[in-house]
Amino acid sequence: MRMKMLGAAVAALLLGSGAPASAANFTIADVLSYPFVSGLVSAPGADRIAWVRMVRGVRNVWVADGPAYAPRQVTAFAADDGQELMELTFSPDGQVLAFTRGGDHDANWPAKGGLEPNPTSSSTQPKVMLWAVDLKAASATAVQVVEGDAPAVSAKHTLAYEKAGQVWTARLDGSEAHRLFFDRGRNAHLAWSPDGSKLAFVSNRGDHAFIGVFSGEAAPLSWLAPSTGIDDAPVWSADGAKIAFTRRPGAGGAPEPLLTQVPQPWSIWSADVASGLGHRVWKSPDTLRGSYPTVAGEANLHWAPGGLLTFLTTEDNWPHLYAAPEAGGASRLLTPGAFMVEHVAVSADGATLVYSANTGSAPGDNDRRHIFRVNAAGGAPVALTHGETLEWTPAIAGKTAAFIAADARTPPAVGVVDLAGSGEKLLAGQAADPAFPGARFVVPKQVTFKAADGLTIDGQLFQTPDTKIGGGAVKAPGLIFVHGGPPRQMMLGWSYMDYYTHAYAMNQYFAAHGFTVLSVNYRLGIGYGFDFQHPDHGGARGSSEYQDVVAGARFLQGAAGVDPARIGIWGGSYGGLLTALGLARNSDIFKAGVDLHGVHDWSAQSPDGGVSARLRYEQGDLAEAKAVAFKSSPVADVATWSSPVLLIHGDDDRNVPFNQTVDLARRLEARGVEFEELVLPDEIHGFLRYGSWVKADSASVEFLTRRLGAKPPK
């Protein structure tokens, strides 16, 4: 067994090396210099939008005002320090913009020991801080306000925020910070009433949760239709008299089966704020498809004129928008068709919904996103964008829809279009760095192939013309990419998630440097319907999705210009799990792999959801589920693992514990399997620093190139 610590061997690939990575004439630093745009929001009462732009790990907030929408930067951060900018929130009149800096808002688990991420290994403990900008002046710049999270700014410019699970308030200059009220629950989802006099919130109490309303220090907290259920997502009616919210059953009852899927029902309720009395507006069907939605925005609950509530459900196999009368009555489908509604924005009056969906008139649009408009009162949806581009994360400002746009070569940037679908344009001043090589990217090709059980799987093939033509005696290695999540979808261009913009850029880099890459959209992913996303025996219940990865590898082995004996695999998170599974079960196919922070032993990940910790007499199928979980894991097949692997993991990972990689490394060592490792001290699951990505990617390229013998096309 040989285990290497990576060092000088990858020096030529690192940032600032000064030497081109290969004949393709661009480096990893070049390809990762793309700008990434996120967090686009609009002001309810002003023609104004804001977003976050990140370049080489440096994050800043930008604002633009209609009708010209000339972007201006309102922060001046200059370091790749890993401090996220999140939760951009306007006051209703658009005069104040608040946001959060720091923390890890993409993690599945709370910060360990209450400590926030420290990816630079700073000797000073980082904190999550609130910042604010007074936008009345064109030259306004952001100022740090107070320690806290999840800001909510009222119509009176009162700032409320979360701190240690309680609700706090402060002036916008940071003075007079104090806890707004006491509640024994853990508070979240703050929502001011339209006039700014009351604050709704969720009080999470473990096995149940209430919707509470704070009306001032002189009044007790009031509770809306309290029950044994878990209430969430409060939204105010326009007149401030009612609050609608979602309700799910509280934790309890007999243990649910762990090896078979069961419906997760939910309902929509409305309550009178003055009396606290409520009634059920709508109830999901008691089917798997009717389960509580897990897509972006989840229920996406909003009020609309005429006493309507709009929301999202997957009851017809696709995430779609519906409208239902608040007073009671049948719901109406607003967005019919075999496609997924994902990001949803609502006009200030609730009458218009703008959303992204993977549908359109261009071939391959099920692997893209476009922007559409529909009226809450009904009528046919209207396409606002179309073509071989991608648009997502809409926001409505007046009569304009803003969005983030990209294509196969051009990285994300903010654009606008009027609600009639005309005047589409990208905003000025968003060009990528001149070193960014997007013009030399390949346009990925949509391909499909059949899994062993007959299910059709989508993928994107990255291959340069030179690599394909060289399919005679000299063939190039192939590389399978598997995304994480798994409720994700790789597309025919850049992604709306920064983790997958990185993966897309690296697939382009691999393609330009001697590999043919196939990105596999395996079952469990989004974009192809509820049933595709929720298959029987998926994940810890039997890893049925692995057959899709094998099918992709078989397809790649038969592709023109690909050497079937030199197939590699790489992926992060769930993609790391599938990478390890491929190497463990099929080293005959996968000759090398890069496993970034993957799960390696499902049985150590509490597949019962923590039920066993309650020490209940009723155990259900827990023992059997743990056995199946282990058999679904890479460590169960380590005896047949022979291909070399590079393990990459940040040791402050809050999604996949670092001990998953420690455990696998010891098992590989005991079996004499070659592995190399790159550990990033104090980094989290989705690396927060550009420098960390450059280091990890440089190691990955060097490893796969050396192990698979890739040579850049000439």
Side-chain angles (χ1 to χ4, degrees):
M1 187 279 298
R2 291 187 297 118
M3 185 276 286
K4 296 182 179 180
M5 299 299 292
L6 295 171
V10 299
L13 295 169
L14 288 172
L15 177 64
S17 65
S22 73
N25 200 30
F26 58 83
T27 67
I28 288 175
D30 292 337
V31 84
L32 296 188
S33 68
Y34 61 83
F36 180 70
V37 177
S38 63
L40 179 65
V41 296
S42 60
D47 195 359
R48 177 170 286 162
I49 59 176
W51 65 91
V52 176
R53 190 170 191 258
M54 178 173 64
V55 181
R56 292 190 176 92
V58 179
R59 302 163 170 88
N60 278 290
V61 176
W62 291 72
V63 172
D65 297 338
Y69 291 105
R72 67 184 193 273
Q73 188 174 322
V74 296
T75 58
F77 302 116
D80 174 26
D81 56 11
Q83 298 302 299
E84 290 188 318
L85 300 180
M86 303 286 290
E87 301 174 328
L88 275 63
T89 305
F90 279 110
S91 59
D93 62 6
Q95 296 301 314
V96 174
L97 175 68
F99 60 91
T100 303
R101 184 169 191 264
D104 173 24
H105 295 84
D106 190 37
N108 291 335
W109 315 116
K112 296 177 181 177
L115 300 178
E116 300 302 337
N118 183 25
T120 63
S121 297
S122 171
S123 58
T124 301
Q125 180 179 339
K127 297 181 179 180
V128 178
M129 303 297 297
L130 297 182
W131 289 64
V133 191
D134 185 343
L135 293 167
K136 289 190 289 295
S139 60
T141 57
V143 296
Q144 184 171 286
V145 178
V146 69
E147 182 180 359
D149 204 350
V153 184
S154 77
K156 300 178 180 180
H157 291 184
T158 302
L159 173 66
Y161 57 94
E162 299 172 20
K163 183 177 178 181
Q166 294 288 292
V167 180
W168 285 58
T169 188
R171 290 183 175 273
L172 291 174
D173 62 4
S175 65
E176 300 184 21
H178 64 279
R179 190 170 65 184
L180 189 59
F181 56 82
F182 166 75
D183 172 48
R184 71 181 184 87
R186 188 169 184 86
N187 303 149
H189 301 287
L190 312 184
W192 286 104
S193 61
D195 65 0
S197 65
K198 298 179 176 62
L199 181 70
F201 61 96
V202 173
S203 176
N204 190 328
R205 306 196 173 190
D207 56 4
H208 64 287
F210 299 144
I211 303 298
V213 177
F214 170 76
S215 301
E217 295 181 359
L221 300 175
S222 58
W223 308 105
L224 304 184
S227 74
T228 59
I230 296 174
D231 296 345
D232 202 0
V235 288
W236 290 85
S237 61
D239 60 5
K242 298 178 180 180
I243 291 177
F245 55 92
T246 64
R247 174 168 289 176
R248 287 172 282 174
E256 292 183 341
L258 299 172
L259 290 171
T260 58
Q261 301 181 80
V262 295
Q264 303 297 319
W266 64 291
S267 57
I268 295 172
W269 281 65
S270 177
D272 178 75
V273 174
S275 68
L277 298 177
H279 68 277
R280 191 175 71 192
V281 174
W282 174 90
K283 182 181 183 298
S284 70
D286 192 20
T287 62
L288 284 176
R289 291 178 175 181
S291 297
Y292 188 76
T294 56
V295 297
E298 297 181 343
N300 286 280
L301 180 62
H302 295 283
W303 288 86
L308 292 175
L309 286 165
T310 60
F311 59 97
L312 185 146
T313 175
T314 58
E315 62 187 63
D316 71 347
N317 191 45
W318 297 95
H320 277 309
L321 292 169
Y322 291 75
E326 184 269 341
S331 61
R332 180 178 66 256
L333 174 62
L334 299 177
T335 57
F339 59 84
M340 177 181 81
V341 169
E342 192 165 24
H343 310 106
V344 180
V346 181
S347 61
D349 63 1
T352 302
L353 296 90
V354 174
Y355 58 92
S356 66
N358 63 330
T359 188
S361 57
D365 271 345
N366 65 320
D367 285 351
R368 297 190 184 95
R369 297 290 185 273
H370 294 304
I371 303 299
F372 299 81
R373 169 181 58 79
V374 70
N375 295 328
V382 175
L384 301 183
T385 66
H386 54 83
E388 295 184 0
T389 55
L390 302 96
E391 300 85 23
W392 58 78
T393 318
I396 301 178
K399 296 181 179 180
T400 299
F403 53 85
I404 302 173
D407 61 23
R409 295 187 170 106
T410 308
V414 176
V416 293
V417 63
D418 70 38
L419 292 178
S422 63
E424 180 181 348
K425 68 174 183 177
L426 294 182
L427 305 191
Q430 301 182 88
D433 188 287
F436 176 68
R440 285 173 279 173
F441 281 6
V442 299
V443 176
K445 177 184 177 182
Q446 185 184 51
V447 296
T448 60
F449 41 90
K450 294 282 189 179
D453 64 358
L455 186 65
T456 298
I457 305 300
D458 275 43
Q460 298 86 37
L461 188 69
F462 298 74
Q463 187 176 51
T464 65
D466 288 344
T467 303
K468 185 174 182 179
I469 291 170
V474 179
K475 295 187 176 183
L479 189 59
I480 292 291
F481 170 73
V482 272
H483 64 72
R488 306 282 184 261
Q489 182 187 28
M490 298 304 291
M491 296 181 286
L492 292 168
W494 295 86
S495 173
Y496 50 80
M497 295 181 66
D498 58 351
Y499 192 99
Y500 298 107
T501 56
H502 159 264
Y504 179 79
M506 285 308 300
N507 283 336
Q508 290 281 2
Y509 183 91
F510 280 119
H513 290 76
F515 294 86
T516 293
V517 183
L518 176 61
S519 176
V520 177
N521 279 344
Y522 54 90
R523 70 191 75 189
L524 294 178
I526 60 174
Y528 310 105
F530 181 93
D531 298 344
F532 186 95
Q533 185 182 347
H534 300 86
D536 291 334
H537 312 300
R541 296 185 176 102
S543 62
S544 63
E545 70 280 6
Y546 177 64
Q547 65 185 300
D548 307 337
V549 179
V550 173
R554 297 297 189 196
F555 176 91
L556 190 57
Q557 285 179 316
V562 175
D563 183 350
R566 290 188 291 155
I567 302 295
I569 185 170
W570 82 284
S573 192
Y574 207 96
L577 181 156
L578 289 172
T579 293
L581 206 58
L583 298 171
R585 293 183 177 181
N586 286 109
S587 281
D588 59 323
I589 300 175
F590 301 107
K591 300 303 182 181
V594 176
D595 168 2
L596 290 95
H597 38 242
V599 173
H600 306 124
D601 183 357
W602 274 119
S603 68
Q605 285 286 93
S606 189
D608 60 327
V611 173
S612 59
R614 301 177 193 171
L615 300 178
R616 296 173 58 160
Y617 177 78
E618 298 173 281
Q619 292 298 301
D621 56 358
L622 176 59
E624 184 183 2
K626 282 186 172 289
V628 171
F630 180 78
K631 292 177 182 177
S632 304
S633 305
V635 296
D637 292 297
V638 75
T640 56
W641 187 326
S642 60
S643 295
V645 63
L646 170 60
L647 304 173
I648 301 177
H649 211 146
D651 89 314
D652 190 25
D653 195 326
R654 289 109 190 272
N655 292 34
V656 177
F658 186 67
N659 61 23
Q660 287 276 332
T661 293
V662 174
D663 177 70
L664 178 61
R666 299 292 71 78
R667 293 174 188 265
L668 295 176
E669 192 171 40
R671 300 289 308 179
V673 178
E674 289 186 88
F675 71 94
E676 302 174 25
E677 58 185 27
L678 176 63
V679 173
L680 301 173
D682 297 325
E683 263 291 11
I684 64 166
H685 190 67
F687 304 148
L688 288 169
R689 297 187 62 242
Y690 164 79
S692 299
W693 281 118
V694 171
K695 185 179 293 186
D697 293 336
S698 299
S700 301
V701 170
E702 191 280 333
F703 177 85
L704 290 170
T705 300
R706 169 165 45 90
R707 294 291 186 172
L708 297 174
K711 295 181 180 179
K714 295 181 180 180

